[in-house]
Amino acid sequence: MELNELNLHKRLKSHHEVTAGLDKLFPSKDSGKDYLQKILAGNPPAKPAAIYIHVPFCSKICGFCNLNRSLLNKKTSEYHHLVIEKIRKAAAWPYLRDTGFSSVYFGGGTPTTLSAAQLGEILNALHDNFNLKPETEISVETSLSELTDEKLHVMKDKGVNRLSIGVQSFLDRGRGLMGRKGDAAFALRRMTEIIGSGFSNTGIDFIYNYPGQTAEELEAELEAVFSLDIAGASVYALILMKGSTLAEKIRTGSLPAIAGLEEEKTFFLKILEAFRGKGFTVLEPTKFVRPGRDNYTYVRIQNSWQDVLAIGTGAGGRLGDYVYYYAPVPMPPWEFPVSRMGRVASAQQVLLEKISGSHQFGHFIPEEAAEHSALYARIIEHLEEKNLLTRTPAGETTCTDEGLFYAYTISRYIVEELAQAMTQKKLTTEGAFPAPRRSLIPRAIVTTLGLVFTGLGFAGIALPLLPATPFFLAALFCFARGSRRFHDWLMSKPFIARPIQDYRRQGGLSARRKLRILALVFATLLASAIIVGKPHVWIILAAVFALKLFLFLFVIKTVKSGP
């Protein structure tokens, strides 16, 4: 098999891009329900596992971000109850209760938008319900502005031992561009206070190649970074995410474009040299750590295809080979402690995911490819000839400095070549597995449909002829795909959110609620029939009531408890 040419004209900047589309290329026919029943009935593997808790709120949307988050709203004050409920539900299963979790990771969003009391309650629930050991790494992502002294005290008291702080920039111009709260002086002062409070394992997120950044500005950023006793730093080239404020400003010309690939490489190599010069080592392509200070247990578990119990709206996790996601839309209840929005990964996908996970830590091991190990060895030789990979004195293969810059591109290339050998399908050198299917309906149309369903839902409140809750569910489904703003607005209305949450939690309506609704519908229809006084209208109204009665008796489940 002849190797395809590696395209270095485009650089992948995220590990998420490396395996994108594998689930489409290698669809699995396994039933998620059957798989979960089997795995949860057994004993947990004696391997490291992690818990991931997603908090999808931010007090301010950063200029570079389009991730799964929303501004603070009325749901924030109740969010910890949802998380704790999920924790208790998961712990009711012996498989999860007995798992020895090596890492707990709070991500977002900004987890510290929750109050100190909320964070304390969640941490208490974790300790009370799961097998957490004193050495378990408990990590919290945060911004500087949301991390109060009270929250620091609570987190330290409850076992949090690692902080990941989204500083992004230590210069006023950089912080302003990226929408960070507080100026450069505040950022340095607050970082010093946090590290001094006893959190020695504190790392930062740091972005380079933002619009108009100069070599002098990068030098000043690095000088500020190294003035702090940080345990590690995640260093990212700016990714212009579609829909982010920065991307829109660059598109419209109100901000200069980011530097091109060669200048970005110059920035990266300068950063790499600077961190090495200060005693940091490369843990993964975007992560520098001080040896012995930051083990980054969570990402090691994530990239070695171990169990990750995900909790919270927007969280994604894995149980065995079942990969799942909690979408921000109402979902029918089911019996398992993980989201029903998931699938069992095929054996081929699992193999390639594990190989790409090894790449994250600079390991290129042909034997991992099983029957395709000879092809993997040829790919490595090809990349060594291009001075992207090299052999260490111990005989291991790892990235050169330039290879580290292109690490995700290289990993994607290897995965593509191996996948082509597995499927006998020709893949383009532009990297591409079949892209995840995009909605055929534009966002504007989906949002409009959501508004129509919202209107019908309100009509159902005023006129009991219509079932309000199903229309509101349909509206939320549309808004989740068209407008997060309308979705959050609709769910902020207690008289809408409460019945939907009750229906989702119970899987139906209580007999009492059904009788109350039917009585109201009957009274309204009877009044309409008397007022109109026309036989053909009576027939229509009788048909409407019959339909309502049929739905309540044979479609909507009757539950024992409920309003």
Side-chain angles (χ1 to χ4, degrees), residues 115-119 146-157 190:
S115 69
Q118 288 177 295
L119 290 168
E146 304 300 328
L147 190 53
T148 64
D149 289 342
E150 181 186 13
K151 292 174 188 177
L152 278 171
H153 175 76
V154 167
M155 289 193 295
K156 188 174 182 181
D157 184 58
R190 189 60 184 146

Side-chain angles (χ1 to χ4, degrees), residues 69-71 73 75 328-330 443-455 458 471-493 496-497 500:
R69 76 289 180 267
S70 62
L71 287 171
N73 55 55
K75 291 188 292 182
V329 294
R443 290 179 60 186
I445 295 177
V446 176
T447 302
T448 302
L449 284 173
L451 292 171
V452 170
F453 285 129
T454 301
F458 280 113
F471 284 122
F472 285 131
L473 284 168
L476 288 168
F477 180 85
C478 291
F479 289 150
R481 288 153 178 77
S483 172
R484 174 63 65 83
R485 181 179 178 183
F486 281 130
H487 177 277
D488 291 347
W489 172 81
L490 195 59
M491 284 300 289
S492 70
K493 309 302 178 188
I496 294 174
I500 289 174

Side-chain angles (χ1 to χ4, degrees), residues 8-9 209 259-269 402 405-406:
L8 296 180
H9 298 297
N209 196 17
L261 191 61
E262 285 304 313
E263 190 170 350
E264 187 169 277
K265 186 196 297 184
T266 299
F267 281 165
F268 173 82
L269 295 175
E402 184 170 3
F405 176 73
Y406 286 111

Side-chain angles (χ1 to χ4, degrees), residues 168-228:
Q168 315 307 355
S169 174
F170 285 102
L171 298 185
D172 287 339
R173 192 177 81 84
R175 293 183 67 76
L177 280 173
M178 288 180 273
R180 310 309 288 165
K181 290 183 177 179
D183 60 13
F186 162 77
L188 279 170
R189 182 179 69 253
R190 189 60 184 146
M191 278 297 306
T192 302
E193 293 169 352
I194 292 167
I195 295 171
S197 69
F199 284 91
S200 61
N201 191 359
T202 294
I204 63 168
D205 284 358
F206 167 65
I207 289 177
Y208 68 96
N209 196 17
Y210 49 77
Q213 186 179 30
T214 64
E216 292 74 22
E217 284 178 318
L218 178 61
E219 189 69 43
E221 295 273 20
L222 291 171
E223 184 178 346
V225 169
F226 297 134
S227 71
L228 299 165

Side-chain angles (χ1 to χ4, degrees), residues 5-8 265 362 364 379-391 397-407 409-411 413-414:
E5 189 57 38
L6 171 62
N7 178 11
L8 296 180
K265 186 196 297 184
F364 298 83
I379 297 170
I380 288 176
E381 289 178 6
H382 178 59
L383 295 172
E384 286 175 341
E385 291 171 0
K386 291 183 171 293
N387 196 35
L388 297 171
L389 297 181
T390 187
R391 304 269 178 170
T397 302
T398 191
C399 289
T400 64
D401 288 355
E402 184 170 3
L404 200 57
F405 176 73
Y406 286 111
T409 307
I410 291 170
S411 184
Y413 173 72
I414 294 172

Side-chain angles (χ1 to χ4, degrees), residues 11-152:
R11 179 198 181 205
L12 302 186
K13 300 180 182 181
S14 167
H15 67 277
H16 297 293
E17 298 176 275
V18 173
T19 56
L22 277 179
D23 55 340
K24 303 296 188 298
L25 190 66
F26 299 108
S28 173
K29 296 180 181 179
D30 291 339
S31 163
K33 190 172 183 178
D34 291 344
Y35 181 86
L36 287 172
Q37 285 177 333
K38 180 180 178 181
I39 195 170
L40 287 168
N43 296 318
K47 295 180 180 180
I51 298 170
Y52 175 75
I53 295 177
H54 191 79
V55 180
F57 306 111
C58 292
S59 61
K60 183 179 181 181
I61 303 301
C62 298
F64 56 87
C65 184
N66 74 345
L67 297 178
N68 193 346
R69 76 289 180 267
S70 62
L71 287 171
L72 296 176
N73 55 55
K74 293 179 182 178
K75 291 188 292 182
T76 309
S77 62
E78 299 296 323
Y79 187 72
H80 64 300
H81 294 311
L82 180 150
V83 172
I84 293 170
E85 180 184 350
K86 293 291 185 183
I87 288 171
R88 290 171 178 163
K89 181 179 179 180
W93 293 77
Y95 180 96
L96 293 170
R97 184 178 63 246
D98 299 336
T99 293
F101 289 103
S102 301
S103 172
V104 177
Y105 195 95
F106 287 75
T110 309
T112 49
T113 52
L114 300 182
S115 69
Q118 288 177 295
L119 290 168
E121 288 188 41
I122 293 173
L123 288 162
N124 281 337
L126 288 167
H127 286 289
D128 291 344
N129 289 279
F130 291 124
N131 182 13
L132 304 186
K133 300 176 182 178
E135 64 271 20
T136 297
E137 179 187 272
I138 304 179
S139 183
V140 177
E141 288 183 355
T142 181
S143 64
L144 286 171
S145 55
E146 304 300 328
L147 190 53
T148 64
D149 289 342
E150 181 186 13
K151 292 174 188 177
L152 278 171

